[in-house]
Amino acid sequence: MRDVISLKFKAMQSNGIVFYSEGHHGNHITLELIRGKLVFFLNSGNAQLSPTGAHVNLTLGSLLDDQHWHSVLIELLHTQVNFTVDKHSHRFHAKGESSYLDLDSEISFGGILTPGRSLAFTRRGFHGCLENLYITEWMLLN
């Protein structure tokens, strides 16, 4: 079994939160467009990731605010994490006890929250289009 998050986006602005998901144990994932580059933030909560502890911050792509479609794929298989943007990939190994992402507490696409959720973003929401959103079903279950 593996965790998978995939989507396509077309950005109209160079900054904005594309995707955010948070779990009950402090773990969360953020995909954010910053100056036309896609930044992947991963906080694994109690797990220890190499090389910088529980936090990972990766940047892929450039000029992604060009109003063309771009694809994103995040895969977690045991401790192997793969982050891909338009066929450019970065792989790393996660360390710790958890080999899945328990991300069922909060979820946001484009920086828009479901009514009644407690999360508040301090940065701008995404301005553009999202399509073909896919998240493995078991990832959202306890």
Side-chain angles (χ1 to χ4, degrees):
M1 300 282 300
R2 66 181 178 158
D3 288 319
V4 176
I5 300 169
S6 67
L7 58 93
K8 288 187 176 186
F9 72 91
K10 183 182 348 181
M12 307 302 217
Q13 294 179 344
S14 60
N15 296 301
I17 295 172
V18 177
F19 173 80
Y20 177 87
S21 186
E22 180 178 308
H24 293 285
H25 305 289
N27 50 337
H28 59 85
I29 286 179
T30 305
L31 284 175
E32 184 174 359
L33 203 58
I34 300 175
R35 292 187 298 271
K37 298 178 181 182
L38 194 62
V39 180
F40 171 54
F41 298 100
L42 171 65
N43 181 334
S44 63
N46 297 328
Q48 295 297 310
L49 296 176
S50 69
T52 59
H55 303 279
V56 174
N57 179 342
L58 301 171
T59 302
L60 282 178
S62 63
L63 302 174
L64 299 176
D65 55 343
D66 61 0
Q67 300 181 21
H68 290 98
W69 287 105
H70 299 281
S71 60
V72 177
L73 175 64
I74 299 169
E75 300 172 289
L76 176 64
L77 179 60
H78 300 291
T79 59
Q80 177 72 34
V81 180
N82 183 35
F83 172 47
T84 304
V85 176
D86 293 339
K87 299 182 183 179
H88 299 283
S89 294
H90 186 87
R91 292 179 179 85
F92 60 95
H93 286 282
K95 294 182 180 176
E97 297 177 14
S98 179
S99 63
Y100 66 95
L101 299 172
D102 176 28
L103 299 172
D104 63 347
S105 178
E106 302 274 351
I107 191 165
S108 168
F109 292 101
I112 300 170
L113 295 174
T114 304
R117 295 295 190 166
S118 61
L119 185 65
F121 293 115
T122 58
R123 295 187 290 275
R124 298 176 93 166
F126 176 73
H127 183 80
C129 301
L130 297 172
E131 74 172 16
N132 298 337
L133 301 168
Y134 176 79
I135 302 174
T136 51
E137 195 171 323
W138 71 277
M139 183 180 70
L140 297 173
L141 302 175
N142 289 331

